[in-house]
């Protein structure tokens, strides 16, 4: 008896907790009950008669989503009907399937939306008005449904308004840097969600939630494995495992890609060479690729990191990137596959300026790549730094399809201990004017424009997803996944709109929460830049793990040290990339080269990226460079404290679980911001020998102590580094 009572108490307690707790697992698809009676009745009406024009696995995925959403938001199951005219309220299907009920104008309008676009809104037919969600392909219907659910959750749904949307970029892709042993290079949210060891037999239900989350944003491609690739992924055993994931993702419109190790012909093919012009090597890749397609008929293709940071590539055989990429592209072409080749290259020999490397290697190859090759370029020329000017390759080639590579995982931006909303940084890059190939060109327009109709366009983001219950380690890491998906769909979007939408989906529509969280998010990137790398400083973080400050890092390969980048000496600081220095600036359009060559003209945020200047150089606000650096570091810390305070004022307005999760991490962020400020300022002072300005909080601590800190177990480290 006692036992039974205890058990029932236990059950009710755990039920209570499972209802009230919010561990973040549901992401932006939380589907909280609708409170507003008007909205509730409108949604209820739609869910009372759902008619599909046909059957297919994507429609089944839609039904599963509607079951879940309706259950959670209305506490009732949706009603599906076979009676198109009498009982249905909402129609779903493709333009072809609905052709009988659409006017020619409507059909034309929808066909212009391409295969991933959708149309949703009221549709009049034989005197009655239905609500319709129509795509050219089933996946368009799926995107329309997610958009409808989004509008219900953000309370923007209006049944009489017609909405059309289609993505500006064809391939919207996540890149996982996940190893086969489940460690994740630069992963800060636990282990890899791909349980290769238990696949193909065991299918983790999380795979479906992953697919749902991506599809809800329009992400339609995923590369499962690390670009520092393991050739084993191309063996038959692993193909069978990857097939399971591809089959699960297909109804959600997501294609699977894998990373190909260039030396695979030697490692798993028993060949003596991986020379891309060798007939046996060509045969190896053709057979491998054919085999891959026998398991995954819509396999997306390969992503390759070659001749970069010690990865094998065509240079070993005296061949260039185009010869390497084209050989793989030829193997993929008969199946419609894509070959994505990364431009993040720098050779074993240290160059005069790593900034110039990609342009030096890829500009001469312009127009040499096959049509199914995309060159994936990081947003900046160095490496996902807290702030970088856009990569000069965007705008430097006319006949090579370039795709964007952003990093969602915050390797250099606070990893999973800091709240840094990345959309403002991505927006800054996407909206940058390249002036080439035309005066109005921006990075976004370069990415959105196919070289010709056979080329595909691409935006990729290095994933921040892992096995942590909330997927991204820091709850606000979810906002970066979300923002990436939104910008991949439409690179012209602004970060404020994205932030607002995410906040409403994540925390509901309490106006106080919206205002304060939005302020925190939109100011967070600039704050991080201030306390990490203000005024164009870059690459001054801890060695190898990249966690925390390390402006003193020296020794070993020069372009892996901080000194190489900040070049501080008793006279001044910064990397001269103008014509008196490495002249990397000349890789940009003349308009940019001209403006940025002048330290008084260049936007100050890039000052030390391109100029080496004396400590007493005068900034626009009248401060000396030294005072300006000190003030930026100090104001970054103050902004971080402000973020912490603003969040604290939301206690009671956000569920305790997520509130305390973020509260604790913000306290860490403030400590880390102080750590960055103190150690960088003390270090730079040891070189400039100048006093700290009086108006800032004086940095405290002992430089030697900061230098002595070591983090051998920091997460995400590359095993070989
Ligand atoms: O940012 C650097 C990382 C490496 C990474 C490399 C790359 C996958 O520190 O861990 O390797 O870039 O993008 O290839």
């Amino acid at each position: 008896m006692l036992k039974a009572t205890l058990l029932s108490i236990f059950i009710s307690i755990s039920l209570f907790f499972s209802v009230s707790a919010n561990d973040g697992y549901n992401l932006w698809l939380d589907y909280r009950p609708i409170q507003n009676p008007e909205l509730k009745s409108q949604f209820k009406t739609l869910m009372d008669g759902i008619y599909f024009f046909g059957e297919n696995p994507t429609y089944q995925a839609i039904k599963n989503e509607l079951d879940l959403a309706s259950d959670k938001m209305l506490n009732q199951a949706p009603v599906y009907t076979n009676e198109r005219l009498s009982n249905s309220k909402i129609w779903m299907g493709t333009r072809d399937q609905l052709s009988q009920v659409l006017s020619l104008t409507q059909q034309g309008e929808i066909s212009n939306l391409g295969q991933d676009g959708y149309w949703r809104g009221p549709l009049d037919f034989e005197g009655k008005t239905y609500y319709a969600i129509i795509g050219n392909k089933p996946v368009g219907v799926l995107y329309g449904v997610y958009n409808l659910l989004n509008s219900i959750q953000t309370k923007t749904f209006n049944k009489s308004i017609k909405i059309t949307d289609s993505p500006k970029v064809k391939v919207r892709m996540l890149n996982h840097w996940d190893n086969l042993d489940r460690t994740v290079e630069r992963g800060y949210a636990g282990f890899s969600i791909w349980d290769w060891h238990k696949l193909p037999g065991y299918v983790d239900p999380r795979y479906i939630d992953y697919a749902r989350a991506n599809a809800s944003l329009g992400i339609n491609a995923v590369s499962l494995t690390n670009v520092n690739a393991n050739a084993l992924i191309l063996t038959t055993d692993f193909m069978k495992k990857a097939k399971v994931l591809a089959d699960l993702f297909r109804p959600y419109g997501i294609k699977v890609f894998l990373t190909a190790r260039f030396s695979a012909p030697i490692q798993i093919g028993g060949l003596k060479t991986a020379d891309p012009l060798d007939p046996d090597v060509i045969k190896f890749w053709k057979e491998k690729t054919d085999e891959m397609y026998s398991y995954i008929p819509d396999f997306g293709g390969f992503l390759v990191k070659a001749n970069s940071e010690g990865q094998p590539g065509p240079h070993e055989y005296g061949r260039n990137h185009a010869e390497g990429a084209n050989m793989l592209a030829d193997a993929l072409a008969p199946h419609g596959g894509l070959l994505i080749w990364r431009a993040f290259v720098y050779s074993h020999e240290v160059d005069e300026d790593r900034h110039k490397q990609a342009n030096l290697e890829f500009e001469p190859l312009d127009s040499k790549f096959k049509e199914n090759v995309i060159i994936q370029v990081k947003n900046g020329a160095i490496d996902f730094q807290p702030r970088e000017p856009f990569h000069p390759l965007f705008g430097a080639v006319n006949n090579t399809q370039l795709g964007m590579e952003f990093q969602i995982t915050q390797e250099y931006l606070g990893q999973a201990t800091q709240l840094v909303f990345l959309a403002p940084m991505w927006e800054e890059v996407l909206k940058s004017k390249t002036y080439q190939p035309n005066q109005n060109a921006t990075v976004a327009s370069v990415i959105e424009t196919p070289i010709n109709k056979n080329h595909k366009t691409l935006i990729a983001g290095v994933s921040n997803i892992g096995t942590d219950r909330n997927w991204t380690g820091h709850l606000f890491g979810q906002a970066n996944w979300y923002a990436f998906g939104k910008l991949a769909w439409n690179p012209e979007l602004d970060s404020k709109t994205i932030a607002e939408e995410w906040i409403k989906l994540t925390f509901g529509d309490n106006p106080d929460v919206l205002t304060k969280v939005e302020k925190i998010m939109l100011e967070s990137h600039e704050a991080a830049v201030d306390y990490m790398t203000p005024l164009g400083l870059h690459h001054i973080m801890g060695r190898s793990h990249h966690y925390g400050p390390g402006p003193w890092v020296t020794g070993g390969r020069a372009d892996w040290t901080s000194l190489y980048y900040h070049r501080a000496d008793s006279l001044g600081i910064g990397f001269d990339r103008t014509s008196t220095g490495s002249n990397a600036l000349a890789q940009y359009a003349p308009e940019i080269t001209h403006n940025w060559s002048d330290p008084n003209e260049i936007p100050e945020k890039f000052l030390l990226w391109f100029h080496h200047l004396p400590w007493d150089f005068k900034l626009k606000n009248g401060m000396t460079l030294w005072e300006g650096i000190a003030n930026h570091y100090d104001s970054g810390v103050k902004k971080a404290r402000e973020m912490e305070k603003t969040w604290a004022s939301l206690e009671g307005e956000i569920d305790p679980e997520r509130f305390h999760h973020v509260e604790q991490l913000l306290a860490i962020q403030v400590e880390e911001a102080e750590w960055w400020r103190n150690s960088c300022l003390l270090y730079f002072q040891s070189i400039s020998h100048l006093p700290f300005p009086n108006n800032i909080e004086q940095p405290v601590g002992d430089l030697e102590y900061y230098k002595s800190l070591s983090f051998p177990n920091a997460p995400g480290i590359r095993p070989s580094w």
Side-chain angles (χ1 to χ4, degrees), residues 118-122 131-134 144 147-148 151 157 161-163:
Y118 60 85
W119 184 108
R120 69 175 173 89
Y131 196 83
I133 304 183
I134 310 167
N147 186 265
L148 167 80
S151 75
F157 177 67
I161 290 186
K162 192 179 84 183
I163 297 200

Side-chain angles (χ1 to χ4, degrees), residues 169-433:
V169 175
K170 276 254 158 57
V171 184
R172 307 170 296 276
M173 181 180 202
L174 283 186
N175 287 181
H176 287 261
W177 285 356
D178 294 16
N179 299 314
L180 303 185
D181 64 0
R182 295 192 83 171
T183 54
V184 180
E185 181 155 345
R186 310 310 176 186
Y188 311 103
F191 287 92
S192 167
I193 57 172
W194 318 129
D195 193 345
W196 293 111
H197 185 65
K198 294 203 197 94
L199 281 165
Y202 179 74
V203 177
D204 188 333
R206 203 166 178 152
Y207 301 147
I208 290 290
D209 290 332
Y210 167 87
R212 291 175 47 230
N214 280 332
S216 74
L217 303 175
I219 291 172
N220 65 353
V222 38
S223 169
L224 301 173
T225 45
N226 193 351
V227 288
N228 289 328
N230 187 328
L232 287 181
I233 190 67
L234 304 175
T235 56
T236 307
D237 277 355
F238 273 95
M239 287 188 197
K240 290 180 182 159
K241 295 169 190 274
K243 174 189 164 47
V244 173
L245 296 175
D247 289 346
L248 287 174
F249 298 164
R250 190 169 297 112
Y252 291 89
I254 299 169
K255 280 192 183 184
V256 160
F257 287 67
L258 293 171
T259 47
R261 189 171 178 83
F262 205 78
S263 53
I266 302 171
Q267 280 151 333
I268 57 168
L271 299 182
K272 294 238 156 14
T273 176
D275 180 351
L277 302 192
D278 180 285
D280 289 333
V281 171
I282 295 172
K283 184 163 166 274
F284 165 87
W285 282 110
K286 194 187 161 336
E287 285 173 4
K288 265 292 150 214
T289 308
D290 291 347
E291 187 188 1
M292 189 67 82
Y293 279 90
S294 75
Y295 289 102
I296 307 176
D298 56 353
F299 179 63
F302 296 124
L303 167 64
V304 184
K305 169 175 178 178
N307 292 120
S308 163
E309 300 186 326
Q311 292 299 302
H315 291 180
E316 271 94 284
Y317 309 95
R319 316 293 183 197
N320 62 35
H321 290 293
E323 288 165 316
N326 289 342
M327 179 272 295
L328 292 167
D330 283 343
L332 289 155
H335 305 281
L338 273 181
L339 192 274
I340 304 176
W341 191 268
R342 295 175 85 229
F344 178 69
V345 292
Y346 56 96
S347 51
H348 301 305
E349 307 80 45
V350 178
D351 310 284
E352 165 208 14
D353 184 358
R354 193 171 123 188
H355 194 293
K356 290 161 59 174
Q357 193 68 28
N359 283 56
L360 289 175
E361 293 187 26
F362 285 89
E363 278 188 56
L365 299 176
D366 195 13
S367 84
K368 295 275 188 302
F369 292 96
K370 297 275 164 104
E371 282 182 337
N372 60 333
V373 176
I374 303 181
I375 304 300
Q376 182 171 298
V377 188
K378 288 189 182 181
N379 57 275
I382 298 299
D383 191 5
F384 299 137
Q385 293 303 292
R387 166 174 273 134
E388 295 202 28
F390 72 89
H391 200 301
L393 203 51
F394 294 111
V397 288
N398 290 323
N399 295 304
T400 306
Q401 191 69 47
L402 302 181
M404 172 60 83
E405 177 174 321
F406 284 133
Q407 192 185 48
I408 312 170
T409 193
Q410 295 163 240
E411 176 180 358
Y412 300 99
L413 276 148
Q415 304 188 354
T417 45
Q418 298 194 17
L419 187 169
V420 183
F421 181 49
L422 301 178
M425 175 176 85
W426 295 332
E427 185 184 349
E428 179 176 296
V429 171
L430 290 164
K431 295 199 168 139
S432 299
K433 289 189 78 163

Side-chain angles (χ1 to χ4, degrees), residues 432-475:
S432 299
K433 289 189 78 163
T434 60
Y435 298 95
Q436 286 168 170
N438 59 62
Q439 276 297 303
N440 298 325
T442 59
V443 172
S445 73
V446 168
I447 297 163
E448 288 165 21
T449 315
I451 302 288
N452 71 38
K453 66 175 183 357
N454 297 324
H455 281 91
K456 293 221 165 77
T457 51
L458 163 79
I459 293 199
V462 178
S463 148
N464 60 349
I465 298 161
T467 49
D468 276 11
R469 182 69 190 156
N470 72 4
W471 302 85
T472 51
H474 196 305
L475 179 74

